[in-house]
Amino acid sequence: MPDKLTYYAMLLANDTPGNPSGVARRRVSDSGGVRDEAFRRDLSWGHTPLIAAAERGDMTFDLVEISEDEAERIIERFRAKWGSEG
């Protein structure tokens, strides 16, 4: 069975879930392992402590759960923006 994925919009002060500063996801495996990742400017997913920090109340970003489709739309915008910065 594939990992269970939960996506989050990472919001700073004036961001909205449709236009966030970033996207994070939590991967939970069948064995119960958890891996938190954020989409990075190099267009890859990498480890992030931000989801766990938000759960502890220690957070710079607000996290709002979003659907996989919403996450993909946001990621495509980031790819277009960050892919042209190279």
Side-chain angles (χ1 to χ4, degrees):
M1 183 174 197
D3 292 350
K4 178 183 183 288
L5 296 171
T6 305
Y7 291 89
Y8 301 91
M10 301 167 64
L11 309 179
L12 289 172
N14 296 317
D15 292 343
T16 64
N19 190 24
S21 291
V23 174
R25 69 183 179 191
R26 172 165 278 173
R27 302 173 70 105
V28 180
S29 68
D30 285 342
S31 63
V34 175
R35 179 166 170 82
D36 293 340
E37 302 170 311
F39 193 71
R40 304 182 311 191
R41 285 186 174 267
D42 69 359
L43 309 181
S44 68
W45 289 97
H47 172 75
T48 184
L50 297 176
I51 297 172
E55 291 174 338
R56 291 189 310 269
D58 176 22
M59 199 53 203
T60 302
F61 289 94
D62 286 326
L63 295 180
V64 175
E65 189 172 332
I66 58 174
S67 71
E68 184 174 3
D69 288 341
E70 290 170 304
E72 285 300 322
R73 283 192 291 275
I74 295 163
I75 290 166
E76 283 306 313
R77 286 199 313 266
F78 288 157
R79 282 187 177 122
K81 178 180 176 182
W82 296 338
S84 64
E85 290 180 0

